[in-house]
């Protein structure tokens, strides 16, 4: 066995030095912001008017309610078939808004991608999409409810509006990952813009498009549950609202929660299998 001639050689690999991130203005602002949020949170807990409510008693009462909700789940004002129908209405609302949003966003995402469009058009589309994303979906639904009234129409339009802005960002970033050499080669062979999109961009980004679309569908499913209660869009969310605010039935709330959880798990399993099949596809 050969040994090193260096008397200080220990036989261990030399330590690798990890470069530290520079402390710049951005890092300083992030730390100041986090510190400010911590201080505001502590101040809020200290100065909050609890009106004689005992925090420990409140926590114990909440745990008791959760125990009743999930260990004594039952249907009383709903039947199994009505709950299943409500879930299907909610899934249909999520699917409809994702479908409309995906079609519109696919077209706008092509013009938002910097490698397929000019910078001015890309910046305009991305700026508008960023503004729309900054406003919560519930507010968009309430804004459209002024014109259409509370109900499924306002929920579909508002959720579609937010879905478009979300998917524009996801699709455009997927398109921008395409190798510039492929685009230049197609341009050199005389291919026009639509031929480049059809022959190179869409086939390459298909897996990413489907993944982002299904991810948005899962988000819209959760939003559709909330919109059923907040905007009167119907579905299982409205049934949960009635059970909690009108009937005050904790057991029925628990059973509806189990229904929502079961369908969310099924959607996740389906999405996982679909992604695995797409990745394994030659």
């Amino acid at each position: 066995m050969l040994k090193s001639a260096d008397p200080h050689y220990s036989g261990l690999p030399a330590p690798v030095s990890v470069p530290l991130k520079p402390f710049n203005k951005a890092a300083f602002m992030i730390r100041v912001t986090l510190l400010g949020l911590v201080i505001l949170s502590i101040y809020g807990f200290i100065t909050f008017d609890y009106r004689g409510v005992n925090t420990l008693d409140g926590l114990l009462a909440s745990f008791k309610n959760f125990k009743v909700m999930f260990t004594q789940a039952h249907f009383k004002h709903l039947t199994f078939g009505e709950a299943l129908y409500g879930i299907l209405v909610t899934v249909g609302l999520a699917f409809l808004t994702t479908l409309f949003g995906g079609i519109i966003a696919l077209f706008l995402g092509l013009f938002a991608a910097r490698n397929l469009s000019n910078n001015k058009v890309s910046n305009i589309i991305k700026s508008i999409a960023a503004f729309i994303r900054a406003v919560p979906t519930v507010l968009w639904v309430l804004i459209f409810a002024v014109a259409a009234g509370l109900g499924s129409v306002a929920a579909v339009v508002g959720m579609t509006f937010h879905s478009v802005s979300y998917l524009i960002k996801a699709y455009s970033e997927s398109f921008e990952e395409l190798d510039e050499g492929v685009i230049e080669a197609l341009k050199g062979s005389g291919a026009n813009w639509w031929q480049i999109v059809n022959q190179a961009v869409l086939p390459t980004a298909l897996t990413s498009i489907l993944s982002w679309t299904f991810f948005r569908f899962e988000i819209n499913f959760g939003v559709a549950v909330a919109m059923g209660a907040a905007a009167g869009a119907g579905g299982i969310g409205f049934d949960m609202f009635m059970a909690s605010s009108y009937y005050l039935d904790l057991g029925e709330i628990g059973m509806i929660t189990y229904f929502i959880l079961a369908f969310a798990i099924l959607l996740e399993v389906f999405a996982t299998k679909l992604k695995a099949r797409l990745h394994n596809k030659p």
Side-chain angles (χ1 to χ4, degrees), residues 117-135:
S117 179
N118 60 66
N119 289 333
K120 185 176 181 180
V121 175
S122 175
N123 290 333
I124 291 174
I125 295 176
K126 287 184 176 180
S127 299
I128 295 175
F131 170 76
I132 296 173
R133 282 197 312 273
V135 180

Side-chain angles (χ1 to χ4, degrees), residues 143-276:
I143 289 172
F144 288 110
V146 175
L150 289 174
S152 57
V153 175
V156 169
V157 176
M159 290 173 61
T160 301
F161 208 59
H162 200 274
S163 297
V164 169
S165 65
Y166 181 93
L167 292 175
I168 284 176
K169 177 179 174 60
Y171 290 168
S172 63
E173 291 180 354
S174 299
F175 299 150
E176 289 172 351
E177 293 177 357
L178 180 65
D179 187 7
E180 288 286 345
V182 176
I183 297 178
E184 293 299 328
L186 289 173
K187 287 182 179 179
S189 64
N192 58 34
W193 188 83
W194 283 110
Q195 289 173 333
I196 293 174
V197 169
N198 291 327
Q199 297 177 14
V201 178
L202 293 182
T204 303
L206 181 60
T207 302
S208 297
I209 291 173
L210 291 177
S211 297
W212 281 113
T213 304
F214 208 94
F215 183 69
R216 183 63 202 188
F217 174 66
E218 292 175 341
I219 295 175
N220 282 344
F221 175 73
V223 174
V225 174
M227 291 303 99
I236 199 67
F238 182 75
D239 296 329
M240 177 174 280
F241 170 76
M242 293 296 292
S244 60
S245 300
Y246 189 75
Y247 302 121
L248 302 177
D249 192 337
L250 292 176
E252 192 159 74
I253 296 173
M255 183 59 74
I256 293 174
T257 303
Y258 281 134
F259 257 65
I260 296 173
L261 181 61
F263 270 80
I265 293 174
L266 289 176
L267 290 176
E268 184 64 29
V269 170
F270 178 77
T272 303
K273 291 185 177 181
L274 178 62
K275 293 174 185 177

